[in-house]
Every structure is written in C-alpha cells, then in structure tokens.
Amino acid sequence: MTSRREGRPGGRREGHRLRGRLRRTLLAGAVAAAVVLPVSAAASPAVPAPIPAAVGEQEPLQAVYAAHRTGLAEAARMAADAGRPGRADRLHTMEAGGAAQFLAFDGRGTGRAVEVFGDLATADRIAVLVPGSDTTLDTYQRFREGASALHVRLSAAHPRAAVVAWLGYDTPGTVSTTVLTAGRADEAAAELGPFLSRLARLAGPGARMSLLCHSYGTVVCARTATGSPVTDVVLYGSPGTGADSAADLPTAARVWAGRGGSDWIGNVPHVRLGQVGFGTDPVDPAFGARPFRVGPGGHSDYLKPGSESLDSLAGIVLGTAGGGAGRAAATPEVPRA
C-alpha cells in the first residue's frame, strides 16, 4: 500500500531520493567487492626501514641490484629488531639468497619494490607487470611467483626475455575508499610513465615492451602515457578502467583484454557514478580491445603455470599473438622448449 506521505508530490520526491541513495550505496559496495575480495591482508603498522639506496641512472645494473639488496637486508634486520619477525622473514625471502635483482626497493610502510627477472641489458622482449589492490611487501610473494612463472614461460621460447614486477605505487587497501576511485591510479601513472622511459634505456637496443595489468592495475595502466617503446597493453581481471573505449587510452600500443571463466569480477556492475566506479568492461566488444583466450581460471590465476592465460600472455609479449578488436582470438602459438 502506498503511504499517504509518498502519495503526495513531496513524498514521491523523497522516495526517489531515498532509492537513489540506496542505488549509489549498493553500487559503491559492489565495486569495492570487485576490487578487494581476492586478497585479504591485515593493514601493516609502521615498520622501521632504511632510506632507499640512492643510485644514479648511469650506474651499472649490477651495482644497482647490489645497492638494493643491501637495503633489503638492512630492512629485514630492522624489522626483526623491531619485533616484526613476519615482515623480516618475508624480506629475507625476497633476497633470494643474494640473487635478487631490484631496480628499486623501499621497505618503509607497506613498501615498494621493482624486481627484474632475466637479463635486462640484453633482453629484446620485456613484460612489465602492474599489480592490483593490496599488493604490498607483506603480500609480495604471490606477485613475485606470477612474474617468475611468466619469465620461465617466456624463456622457454625466447631466451632474450625479461620480466619486471613493478610494485612502484601505494596500492589501495582492501577496505578503503581509495579502492573505489582513480586517485591512487593517477598517482601511480605519474610514476609508471617515466619509469617505462627509463626502462627502455636500460634494455637491449630496440627492445619490445609489453605492459601487463591486473585488476586495479588496469586502472593505473589506462592512465599511463606509455610512449613508443610499449607495443602492447594487456588488461585482465579488470573492474573497468575509467575509459569508455580502448581508443581513449593515452597509448599508441595495441590494447588487449581478457577475463577468466571463473573470475567473479565479471559479475560486478561495470558502471561509474561520479568519481566512484570504473565504467565500461574492457572485455565488452564495444570497448574495442583485442580479445585473447584466458581459459577457466579465477581472479588470481592469470599467471598460473600451465594455464591457458599464461600461454596467451606469453604470446602477446613475444609478438606471436593473433586476434583483432571485437572478435574471438585464437590462442597465441608459443613454442615450447
């Protein structure tokens, strides 16, 4: 039964306003769930760590790696002394027995790290991985395992391949308003664009670079001016990018999009309301990205060894991928060792 209040014009307007607020609340909750559910890590209180090593761009790569390994070891020692054995153990794991190759490392707060897999100086195929929400030094191992799996897959077909795991920004937390908007992505894009230019100068002559972006990382990549070294931008597990189409992205690279058959992010409304939400689904043919086969995997399975998605991503990085905008793409053929 309609109430007397809602039966009057003022009552109807009030009812519309209430329903509008409810829709906005539900939308915000849906978008938040889309981005934060895969990983649930507790917020890390402040952990003491040294000031990041100051290394000049002209320094040899091995000197850069050594400087950041020293900083990493010191951060692990300081964490242990501060009664944070969990953080200390994770940092020791990152040292990889003294073999880790970091272009950047900052152990303060949730941390930042940029790690190289392979010989960057001779590589002519380079994949740069950009992670999504809640990737920190305390959750870094899963990100690292994906980067390592991709490097192994690429190297089996092309020895002169390298992978860069770019945790170069403060990712949104699992429960925060920042995960619903592009604020953190805008800050990250301002860091990622110049980094790609520097990376091109460090790599082998004429190196081909691909930007592989996961979840909230797709929002970052959609705001990054890539420049000519980047030939491919790949969006997977995306909540949307904030752009209406691939043509709106600040890149001349080919844009690809894919989503696993069990990735729950496909059930989330790809809409935007003001500054909340990220709009058009990149796998929608109307977005104009090139599709690639992903298989039945879930939100965290794109770089899983032996997966169809890993094969496809390797094909894109190596330049053997087929497919065009708006139509089904064949699985790229990547030679196996």
Side-chain angles (χ1 to χ4, degrees):
M1 176 181 294
T2 302
S3 70
R4 292 176 61 187
R5 178 182 175 89
E6 291 190 351
R8 297 193 301 272
R12 285 195 296 272
R13 285 195 295 271
E14 180 65 20
H16 289 318
R17 284 195 292 269
L18 289 171
R19 286 191 291 273
R21 284 197 295 270
L22 176 60
R23 283 194 295 269
R24 289 192 291 273
T25 301
L26 291 174
L27 169 62
V31 175
V35 183
V36 306
L37 278 178
V39 180
S40 181
S44 297
V47 181
I51 300 295
V55 185
E57 189 174 333
Q58 301 304 316
E59 291 290 331
L61 278 173
Q62 293 306 318
V64 174
Y65 297 155
H68 290 304
R69 282 196 297 267
T70 298
L72 180 56
E74 178 63 9
R77 184 194 66 77
M78 292 175 71
D81 289 347
R84 296 295 303 278
R87 169 66 73 89
D89 288 346
R90 285 185 281 272
L91 294 178
H92 281 309
T93 298
M94 289 175 65
E95 290 183 81
Q101 301 181 143
F102 285 95
L103 288 175
F105 173 78
D106 186 347
R108 297 171 298 179
T110 58
R112 297 188 182 190
V114 180
E115 187 172 6
V116 176
F117 299 81
D119 187 349
L120 185 58
T122 63
D124 60 7
R125 296 292 185 273
I126 301 171
V128 179
L129 300 182
V130 180
S133 63
D134 206 35
T135 305
T136 69
L137 293 185
D138 290 316
T139 62
Y140 183 77
Q141 189 59 26
R142 183 164 66 178
F143 181 44
R144 179 188 231 180
E145 288 170 356
S148 178
L150 178 61
H151 181 244
V152 169
R153 184 69 186 85
L154 291 170
S155 299
H158 189 85
R160 292 178 60 193
V163 174
V164 178
W166 188 81
L167 177 55
Y169 77 112
D170 295 327
T171 62
T174 53
V175 181
S176 68
T177 57
T178 54
V179 81
L180 304 175
T181 68
R184 290 287 179 91
D186 287 331
E187 294 171 2
E191 299 280 349
L192 180 57
F195 170 77
L196 294 173
S197 297
R198 293 194 299 272
L199 185 63
R201 295 193 291 271
L202 293 173
R208 167 197 178 106
M209 294 171 54
S210 301
L211 197 55
L212 275 54
C213 320
H214 178 238
S215 197
Y216 188 88
T218 66
V219 188
V220 174
C221 294
R223 284 161 169 71
T224 301
T226 61
S228 59
V230 176
T231 59
D232 296 271
V233 174
V234 191
L235 313 172
Y236 50 99
S238 178
T241 64
D244 293 328
S245 72
D248 294 334
L249 305 188
T251 183
R254 292 174 295 190
V255 179
W256 303 76
R259 185 169 61 231
S262 299
D263 190 339
W264 42 259
I265 210 164
N267 297 321
V268 173
H270 284 78
V271 294
R272 185 169 60 247
L273 181 64
Q275 300 300 310
V276 176
F278 303 111
T280 307
D281 187 346
V283 303
D284 186 330
F287 187 77
R290 296 169 177 246
F292 64 95
R293 293 196 185 280
V294 180
H299 193 70
S300 300
D301 296 334
Y302 292 92
L303 298 174
K304 186 176 180 179
S307 65
E308 187 172 9
S309 54
L310 183 63
D311 283 348
S312 292
L313 291 170
I316 293 171
V317 173
L318 296 179
T320 60
R327 68 174 186 271
T331 301
E333 293 186 2
V334 185
R336 294 184 178 273

